[in-house]
Amino acid sequence: MDGWIQGSLARVKLQNFVTYESVEFKTGPHLNIIIGPNGTGKSSIVCALCLGLGGKTNLLGRAREVGEFVKHGADLAIIELELYNKDGLNYTIKRMITRDNKSDWQINKKPVNLKEVTSLAKKLNIDVNNLCQFLPQDMVAEFAKMTPPQLLESTERAVGGQELVELHHKLISLKNEHKSIITSQASKEEYLDKLMKRNDYLKDIVSKHEERSNHLKKIEVLQLKRPWLVYEVARINFQKLREGKQALQNRVEVLKDSAKPLEDLLEDKRNKQVEVENTIKLMTNELNKINSNIKSVESSLSSNKEKLDEILEEYNSKVAETETRTTKINQLTNEVNAYKAELHDLQSAQDLKVHRDSLITECKSIAIELGQLESTLNELTIEEQSRKSKHRGINNQIQKLNDISNQKMENLRRYERDTFNAVEWLRQNKGMFQGEVLEPFQLIINVPNTANAKYIESIISRNDRKAFIFERSDDLNLFMKELRDKQKLNINAVIAPKEENFQSNLDVNKLKSFGFLGYLVDFIECPPLAKRYLCKYYRIHTVPIGSAAVDKHIDKINTVITQGLYFTPTHRYQNSRSRYSNDTISSISQLRGAKIFSMTVDTNQIQRLQTELTAIQQESDEAKTRYNEVKAEQEQLRIKDQTHRDEKNKILHLIRHRETIDDKIKNRAFKIAELENSSINLEEEKAKCAQKSQQILLKCTSLQKKMYTLYIGFESKLNEKNETTIQKIEVSLEVSDAEEQLQSSTQELQEAKEKLDNHTDQIKKQRDHARELLEEAKAACGLDRDNLPNKYKNMFKQYPCSDVNDLDQQLNEARALAECSNEVDPQVITEYKNRKREIETEAQEVEVNQEKLSEFDKQINVVREKWYGPVTTIVDQINGKFRSFFARLKCAGEVILSEHEDYDKWGIDIRVQFRNSDDMKRLTSSYQSGGEKSVSTILYLLSLQGLTDCPFRVVDEINQGMDPKNERKVFEMMAHAATIAGTSQYFLITPKLLPDLEYNDKMNILSIFNGLGLENANALDDSFVVEK
């Protein structure tokens, strides 16, 4: 078979599958175009290919259970696919599906299981899960939704084969294990650091414990050594005392022989000293008599001089007193005049008291008014507190009701983060828009009865559920520019239709007879703008909602509801008319429970509570106004009261000031009278002073003459005594020298005797003391002999001491150091040693992990070298073709390999530009239009042509939404790429083709004629085929 490649699809046969009762057709090795009107079963063929090759229903987006693909009225559907095998008999895969979702499989008429079918598909490099190879109609939009990593993996599977995918997965696995080891390593290093820090802390404690043990050991040894060291000192001192006794005895004998001559000399000197002392005593008595007379005369002179000074002082005192009295009288008189002038300028005391009494009366009246106002304020405050308590209670009730809204927002934040961020932005920026703007449907739609939520949830698309609703298109454009273009948020927005009368054409009463309860619009609550949109685009005003009784009248209902949608509690029914026979075509699907709209809010209760809050707030505002009025009145009264009090205090001050001035005037007048009554006659006092002074001066002259005579006699006698005193001093010095010599000799002899006696006593005491110390030292060591064993000598050598003081100092230091170190719990020491062993173990594990990391780095580099080159080559080749395809459309496009530190985040970015005014944008599910997404998707798939190892590629209605110009160019490129020899087989499913397209012999056109009006499919012959 020319042009066929391994695994290409050669034949398809279906029985009782979806719309087909029976169909069989063969395919061509290159481009196969399956064309037919909507509803004839084109996409059913795609479903058959997917399910016949082991694919799952969720890839198709049409039904949840495989049993739903069995044709209505049949119990068994059969899919038979024939795949080309260059090595022999073609592979024929057969799948038999029952309505109860069971399947049987055959390969070349041999029963097999699903695993064997998927293994064969994998062997032939067929992957229906890969959108780059198999793109059903309902998954076209999903291609644009693929993340860059998903697109990269799909491209690897489609082009590079399983080996390249496995290398990528291995890279991801190695990198994840590498990161896991790094995380574990960091955890272990952190744990090891904690262990080391803990042991570093305990290390000081353990070190101090060891130091304390050493100190205690040293104390024990020094305590044993001390009595032996004390004994040794006592023994040495005893030997020294014995050696010094003889020298002391010899010294005593020498001192006895030298004392006799000194005693005789002292006796002669003392006799001479007595004679001189008697002579001095006689002279001293005579001098004392003369001196006594001199002192008597001096006393009389001093007495007369003092009397003279007293007389002069008394006179001067009286003169000064007279001057002071006159000055004081003048000063007091001036003060009295000044006070009288001040009194004359002040208001009378009677007027001041009358004014004071008037102010007191007014203050009392104001105090009564202030008390009344204070009582009114207290009453207003109590009433306001009551209103606030009631206000808080209502707010709490509203908060509980609004928790449903918060839950809706939390769900939105969790599953639609971009939409959540957009809602937050809108709530803060609503003022930017001129018309009404509503938040997404899933926030604003309220279903009072949650049992009805599944109906609305089943018909609103996911994009519309999260869509913002705008009244004006300019507001929508501004919104999308701010959030989608600037903030790069993946959001959706719609324009609400204009107001119109949305009414159903069906008779409501007739529907109720079948068990219908009403239309879907009656079971939901939402703003009018949102309701208009739902009525316009989802026609909720024409969707009947029925009870379980509806299931009993399905046939009758289908004659009434020939087109449209209706619900029962468990099922969804969709009726449409065939374009060929005009018969009603029905489909039924199971209803799922609601998730999004199952949370409801009691808006009536919230409205009622809001009304109560408004009334309470109004009362509070009125009370606040009254409170402020009373407060202002109170403040005015307080100001008036303070003014009266200030004036009253001023009057009281003036009254007290007048009284003080009166007292001062009386006091000054009394003092002036006293001073005038005590005046002195200075002339009389001056004469008396002169007379007394003359008499005293005469007595002083006589006494001075007598004193002169006494001084002459005293001086003569004093000179004689001085000469004799000098003689006495000389003799006394000689006696003192003799006494000192004798005393020194005697004292030295006595001291020598005492030393000898003391020395003898010390020898005896030292001997006894040494014996006692020896016994104590032996007892301390538990010995019964005088000699110290070598064991103790070696022990004592560890702590050398120069003397007992040195030993005591060391002992005290050791005790002090031991006392400074607290006793450590043995458990702490055990803990330290155990942790030290654990640290060694953890350190070894850290080292092993480091070696593992190095090994992983090597493995990653090896695998990356094998994977990176082919991947970059493939992407470069795809990019070259993709750019070329877009250039033919006079647009721009590129395919970029985006790299990342984590290999599971490597991806392929498809970037496109359809207008010169736009920048190159990444292909997403929200930014480009449907036609733009279709063009980008098919051109990417065409770029894989010639590179891929897959046997065939399927795209379903990819040309829908394209403008004619682009559709024609894309078809030409597809026709060229898919008909090149050696490339993959291609299936294009489409409801229509443009006129005047170019065809060639390598294209295979399959036109579908299916419907109730086609009585005999075998009636068509070759004359029906038209060649162009």
Side-chain angles (χ1 to χ4, degrees):
M1 297 177 70
D2 295 336
W4 292 85
I5 64 174
Q6 184 76 354
S8 297
L9 185 64
R11 181 178 59 87
V12 177
K13 183 177 181 180
L14 306 175
Q15 291 181 355
N16 295 325
F17 186 80
V18 192
T19 59
Y20 292 101
E21 182 177 335
S22 178
V23 67
E24 183 177 9
F25 61 89
K26 295 182 180 180
T27 64
H30 300 292
L31 177 60
N32 293 272
I33 301 173
I34 300 176
I35 185 170
N38 289 328
T40 56
K42 300 185 304 302
S43 296
S44 297
I45 294 175
V46 177
C47 295
L49 296 180
C50 175
L51 298 177
L53 292 169
K56 298 187 179 185
T57 57
N58 59 0
L59 296 174
L60 304 170
R62 291 197 163 222
R64 184 176 181 182
E65 303 293 344
V66 69
E68 296 181 37
F69 287 91
V70 178
K71 182 175 175 62
H72 188 68
D75 296 323
L76 179 70
I78 298 176
I79 303 171
E80 188 173 303
L81 306 178
E82 183 179 345
L83 304 176
Y84 174 72
N85 180 14
K86 65 180 180 179
D87 299 323
L89 184 67
N90 285 351
Y91 300 108
T92 301
I93 300 173
K94 188 174 184 179
R95 181 176 187 178
M96 291 151 284
I97 304 169
T98 63
R99 188 168 289 281
D100 57 357
N101 303 313
K102 294 181 180 178
S103 296
D104 292 322
W105 297 87
Q106 293 179 0
I107 297 180
N108 293 341
K109 299 183 180 181
K110 177 184 176 182
V112 294
N113 55 30
L114 175 60
K115 184 176 180 181
E116 292 178 87
V117 173
T118 54
S119 295
L120 176 60
K122 184 176 180 180
K123 173 184 174 183
L124 298 174
N125 204 21
I126 298 172
D127 185 3
V128 295
N129 295 305
N130 191 342
L131 296 182
C132 292
Q133 181 176 344
F134 195 86
L135 193 63
Q137 176 183 348
D138 293 331
M139 301 299 287
V140 172
E142 295 300 317
F143 184 88
K145 293 181 182 178
M146 280 201 297
T147 63
Q150 291 173 337
L151 183 57
L152 174 60
E153 183 171 349
S154 297
T155 304
E156 287 175 334
R157 290 186 184 279
V159 179
Q162 189 61 28
E163 181 181 358
L164 194 63
V165 175
E166 289 175 356
L167 285 173
H168 191 182
H169 286 175
K170 188 173 183 180
L171 266 180
I172 293 171
S173 176
L174 288 172
K175 188 62 177 181
N176 289 338
E177 290 184 43
H178 185 272
K179 290 172 67 177
S180 177
I181 293 174
I182 288 176
T183 303
S184 173
Q185 182 79 330
S187 176
K188 283 185 176 296
E189 288 177 353
E190 182 181 359
Y191 179 61
L192 179 61
D193 184 57
K194 289 181 180 178
L195 289 177
M196 295 178 70
K197 286 181 179 179
R198 177 61 181 160
N199 254 26
D200 287 343
Y201 170 73
L202 292 181
K203 185 177 181 180
D204 294 337
I205 298 175
V206 173
S207 176
K208 291 177 181 177
H209 171 74
E210 292 175 351
E211 289 178 4
R212 187 173 187 273
S213 299
N214 293 335
H215 295 323
L216 293 175
K217 180 181 177 182
K218 182 176 182 180
I219 290 169
E220 183 181 359
V221 174
L222 290 176
Q223 285 176 336
L224 293 175
K225 181 177 180 179
R226 190 179 190 286
W228 286 99
L229 184 59
V230 173
Y231 162 70
E232 182 64 19
V233 172
R235 187 186 66 78
I236 294 172
N237 289 339
F238 173 71
Q239 293 294 338
K240 290 180 179 180
L241 288 172
R242 288 178 60 183
E243 293 171 359
K245 181 177 180 182
Q246 186 59 46
L248 290 174
Q249 289 175 341
N250 295 335
R251 175 65 175 164
V252 169
E253 294 301 325
V254 171
L255 291 174
K256 284 181 180 179
D257 295 337
S258 62
K260 181 61 175 172
L262 293 174
E263 291 175 354
D264 296 338
L265 176 63
L266 177 59
E267 182 66 25
D268 293 338
K269 297 295 183 182
R270 284 178 175 170
N271 292 333
K272 185 175 181 180
Q273 183 181 22
V274 169
E275 292 177 1
V276 173
E277 287 178 350
N278 290 333
T279 304
I280 289 174
K281 286 180 180 178
L282 293 174
M283 291 180 178
T284 299
N285 289 334
E286 293 178 0
L287 284 171
N288 287 338
K289 290 179 180 179
I290 297 171
N291 188 47
S292 177
N293 292 331
I294 290 172
K295 286 182 178 179
S296 177
V297 174
E298 286 179 344
S299 178
S300 297
L301 276 172
S302 177
S303 176
N304 285 314
K305 286 182 179 179
E306 288 176 359
K307 289 179 181 180
L308 183 61
D309 292 337
E310 288 175 359
I311 291 169
L312 291 174
E313 185 178 354
E314 182 181 358
Y315 175 74
N316 291 332
S317 173
K318 289 181 179 181
V319 171
E321 182 182 349
T322 300
E323 292 175 353
T324 301
R325 185 183 299 106
T326 303
T327 303
K328 189 67 174 176
I329 289 171
N330 292 335
Q331 181 181 348
L332 291 172
T333 301
N334 292 334
E335 289 179 2
V336 168
N337 293 334
Y339 287 139
K340 287 180 178 180
E342 187 176 354
L343 275 180
H344 183 268
D345 295 335
L346 293 176
Q347 192 177 357
S348 69
Q350 183 62 31
D351 292 342
L352 291 173
K353 289 178 180 179
V354 170
H355 193 184
R356 177 198 62 190
D357 295 340
S358 173
L359 291 173
I360 291 172
T361 301
E362 289 186 19
C363 286
K364 289 179 180 180
S365 174
I366 291 172
I368 293 170
E369 291 184 39
L370 285 173
Q372 293 172 348
L373 292 176
E374 187 65 30
S375 176
T376 301
L377 290 175
N378 290 336
E379 291 174 359
L380 290 173
T381 301
I382 292 170
E383 291 173 0
E384 180 62 18
Q385 290 173 349
S386 174
R387 278 190 293 272
K388 286 182 178 179
S389 176
K390 188 175 180 181
H391 193 280
R392 283 194 297 271
I394 294 174
N395 269 333
N396 289 337
Q397 294 181 53
I398 293 175
Q399 181 64 37
K400 291 178 181 178
L401 293 171
N402 283 332
D403 280 345
I404 301 299
S405 299
N406 295 335
Q407 291 176 25
K408 289 184 177 181
M409 279 295 286
E410 177 59 24
N411 283 341
L412 191 66
R413 184 193 67 79
R414 186 179 301 171
Y415 300 111
E416 300 290 350
R417 191 57 181 260
D418 284 359
T419 305
F420 171 82
N421 292 336
V423 172
E424 293 283 302
W425 181 90
L426 177 62
R427 290 179 177 180
Q428 296 177 7
N429 298 277
K430 272 204 170 182
M432 295 175 59
F433 306 104
Q434 299 180 14
E436 185 178 2
V437 182
L438 298 180
E439 294 177 359
F441 285 101
Q442 70 181 70
L443 294 181
I444 63 175
I445 290 179
N446 184 50
V447 185
N449 185 351
T450 56
N452 300 324
K454 56 191 174 186
Y455 306 130
I456 189 71
E457 188 165 319
S458 69
I459 69 169
I460 300 181
S461 69
R462 179 172 177 268
N463 277 344
D464 274 353
R465 283 203 301 267
K466 64 178 184 177
F468 294 81
I469 308 99
F470 286 82
E471 184 180 23
R472 297 167 57 98
S473 58
D474 53 349
D475 286 342
L476 184 143
N477 293 334
L478 174 61
F479 181 79
M480 297 301 282
K481 182 178 180 180
E482 286 291 330
L483 297 179
R484 188 182 68 180
D485 297 346
K486 292 184 179 179
Q487 299 187 27
K488 307 301 181 185
L489 298 182
N490 184 8
I491 56 173
N492 193 23
V494 297
I495 290 287
K498 295 181 179 179
E499 290 189 21
E500 58 180 278
N501 186 21
F502 293 103
Q503 295 292 333
S504 174
N505 296 325
L506 297 175
D507 185 356
V508 177
N509 294 325
K510 188 173 184 180
L511 291 177
K512 288 184 177 179
S513 65
F514 294 132
F516 286 104
L517 306 174
Y519 292 110
L520 181 55
V521 70
D522 303 321
F523 293 90
I524 67 169
E525 296 175 352
C526 63
L529 198 68
K531 189 169 289 187
R532 291 208 307 265
Y533 183 87
L534 294 175
C535 289
K536 178 72 174 179
Y537 297 106
Y538 290 97
R539 301 191 61 77
I540 62 173
H541 63 292
T542 66
V543 178
I545 306 297
S547 64
V550 171
D551 292 326
K552 301 176 182 178
H553 308 287
I554 294 298
D555 294 336
K556 293 181 180 180
I557 292 171
N558 288 342
T559 62
V560 177
I561 307 176
T562 57
Q563 286 187 330
L565 179 69
Y566 62 91
F567 289 96
T568 68
T570 57
H571 290 83
R572 164 182 168 146
Y573 292 88
Q574 178 74 53
N575 290 344
S576 60
R577 284 196 176 276
S578 171
R579 295 184 180 181
Y580 307 99
S581 65
N582 204 33
D583 291 340
T584 299
I585 301 174
S586 299
S587 66
I588 180 174
S589 60
Q590 193 82 18
L591 272 180
R592 301 177 184 176
K595 295 181 180 178
I596 304 298
F597 297 107
S598 58
M599 293 178 288
T600 63
V601 180
D602 190 345
T603 54
N604 292 331
Q605 176 68 0
I606 291 178
Q607 185 64 35
R608 186 182 62 78
L609 292 174
Q610 290 287 2
T611 302
E612 289 186 32
L613 279 181
T614 303
I616 291 172
Q617 186 61 45
Q618 186 174 357
E619 291 177 8
S620 180
D621 292 341
E622 292 173 357
K624 187 174 181 180
T625 301
R626 172 60 181 154
Y627 183 91
N628 291 334
E629 291 173 354
V630 174
K631 196 73 177 175
E633 186 179 352
Q634 184 188 48
E635 185 62 26
Q636 290 177 356
L637 281 175
R638 283 179 176 168
I639 294 171
K640 184 177 180 182
D641 179 65
Q642 187 60 45
T643 302
H644 287 357
R645 289 179 182 276
D646 292 343
E647 191 173 355
K648 182 185 71 174
N649 291 335
K650 184 177 179 182
I651 297 299
L652 291 174
H653 174 72
L654 290 174
I655 292 172
R656 285 194 292 270
H657 186 55
R658 281 190 63 90
E659 292 172 351
T660 300
I661 292 174
D662 285 335
D663 291 341
K664 287 181 178 180
I665 290 173
K666 292 177 181 178
N667 180 269
R668 290 337 182 247
F670 178 75
K671 288 182 177 180
I672 290 172
E674 281 187 337
L675 291 172
E676 289 176 345
N677 292 332
S678 60
S679 59
I680 300 172
N681 189 338
L682 288 180
E683 291 299 328
E684 291 180 0
E685 292 300 325
K686 183 177 181 181
K688 289 179 181 179
C689 180
Q691 183 180 0
K692 290 178 181 179
S693 298
Q694 184 66 32
Q695 293 173 355
I696 291 171
L697 288 173
L698 291 174
K699 289 181 180 179
C700 288
T701 302
S702 174
L703 289 171
Q704 287 175 348
K705 290 179 179 180
K706 184 178 181 180
M707 184 177 289
Y708 177 74
T709 303
L710 291 173
Y711 271 123
I712 295 300
F714 184 82
E715 184 179 1
S716 173
K717 186 57 70 175
L718 183 60
N719 289 334
E720 292 179 11
K721 182 183 177 183
N722 288 340
E723 291 176 358
T724 306
T725 301
I726 290 170
Q727 186 179 0
K728 177 189 173 184
I729 290 170
E730 292 174 351
V731 174
S732 296
L733 290 173
E734 291 174 357
V735 171
S736 295
D737 288 341
E739 287 176 346
E740 287 178 2
Q741 290 178 18
L742 180 58
Q743 183 179 1
S744 176
S745 177
T746 303
Q747 185 176 356
E748 193 172 355
L749 176 61
Q750 185 63 31
E751 288 175 355
K753 289 179 179 180
E754 290 176 356
K755 283 183 180 180
L756 180 60
D757 294 340
N758 290 336
H759 198 78
T760 303
D761 292 339
Q762 286 179 13
I763 291 172
K764 182 176 178 302
K765 289 179 181 179
Q766 191 64 28
R767 182 184 63 221
D768 296 339
H769 181 56
R771 287 175 179 171
E772 291 175 359
L773 292 175
L774 177 60
E775 294 301 321
E776 290 177 3
K778 288 162 59 180
C781 296
L783 302 175
D784 55 1
R785 57 180 181 175
D786 293 346
N787 294 331
L788 185 66
N790 290 332
K791 180 182 78 170
Y792 287 100
K793 290 180 180 178
N794 294 332
M795 189 186 301
F796 294 160
K797 285 179 181 179
Q798 295 178 10
Y799 305 104
C801 306
S802 58
D803 52 28
V804 176
N805 290 333
D806 185 18
L807 185 145
D808 287 341
Q809 185 176 356
Q810 292 187 37
L811 187 58
N812 290 334
E813 289 177 356
R815 284 172 176 163
L817 292 172
E819 289 174 359
C820 291
S821 302
N822 296 327
E823 188 172 356
V824 179
D825 185 354
Q827 183 64 30
V828 174
I829 306 302
T830 304
E831 178 185 349
Y832 173 80
K833 293 178 180 178
N834 292 339
R835 189 178 289 108
K836 187 175 182 181
R837 288 192 291 272
E838 186 178 3
I839 287 172
E840 294 172 355
T841 303
E842 290 292 330
Q844 292 175 357
E845 292 181 4
V846 167
E847 186 175 353
V848 169
N849 279 346
Q850 195 61 45
E851 293 175 357
K852 286 183 180 179
L853 287 174
S854 300
E855 183 61 29
F856 268 103
D857 287 334
K858 292 177 183 178
Q859 292 183 35
I860 289 172
N861 290 333
V862 170
V863 176
R864 189 181 190 279
E865 288 178 3
K866 294 179 181 179
W867 173 78
Y868 182 74
V871 165
T872 53
T873 301
I874 289 170
V875 174
D876 288 343
Q877 291 174 342
I878 294 171
N879 182 45
K881 291 186 177 183
F882 193 74
R883 292 168 64 93
S884 174
F885 288 148
F886 261 82
R888 294 184 195 177
L889 298 179
K890 298 191 182 301
C891 299
E894 63 181 2
V895 178
I896 300 172
L897 179 65
S898 60
E899 301 184 7
H900 194 275
E901 179 184 359
D902 297 332
Y903 290 100
D904 58 347
K905 295 180 181 177
W906 281 55
I908 287 180
D909 278 332
I910 299 177
R911 300 170 63 83
V912 294
Q913 178 189 2
F914 286 92
R915 288 168 292 277
N916 293 330
S917 59
D918 291 344
D919 294 329
M920 194 85 79
K921 299 288 185 181
R922 188 168 74 85
L923 180 64
T924 65
S925 61
S926 59
Y927 189 83
Q928 288 80 15
S929 67
E932 291 170 348
K933 285 186 282 193
S934 297
V935 169
S936 303
T937 301
I938 190 62
L939 292 184
Y940 184 81
L941 297 180
L942 287 176
S943 299
L944 302 182
Q945 194 75 357
L947 302 176
T948 179
D949 292 333
C950 67
F952 63 86
R953 179 172 291 109
V954 178
V955 290
D956 188 2
E957 296 195 15
I958 192 69
N959 56 339
Q960 296 305 298
M962 294 185 191
D963 61 80
K965 180 180 178 181
N966 284 339
E967 184 178 353
R968 184 176 298 279
K969 290 184 178 180
V970 167
F971 182 84
E972 291 172 358
M973 288 184 274
M974 183 188 301
H976 173 74
T979 55
I980 296 174
T983 60
S984 302
Q985 185 183 30
Y986 222 95
F987 288 89
L988 172 64
I989 288 84
T990 178
K992 52 89 179 177
L993 289 172
L994 294 173
D996 300 323
L997 293 175
E998 293 184 5
Y999 300 91
N1000 58 53
D1001 293 338
K1002 293 185 179 181
M1003 296 182 188
N1004 186 42
I1005 312 297
L1006 298 169
S1007 296
I1008 297 177
F1009 292 90
N1010 184 26
L1012 295 176
L1014 187 65
E1015 295 181 357
N1016 186 2
N1018 296 322
L1020 297 175
D1021 55 23
D1022 292 342
S1023 63
F1024 185 77
V1025 178
V1026 178
E1027 292 188 0
K1028 181 178 181 181

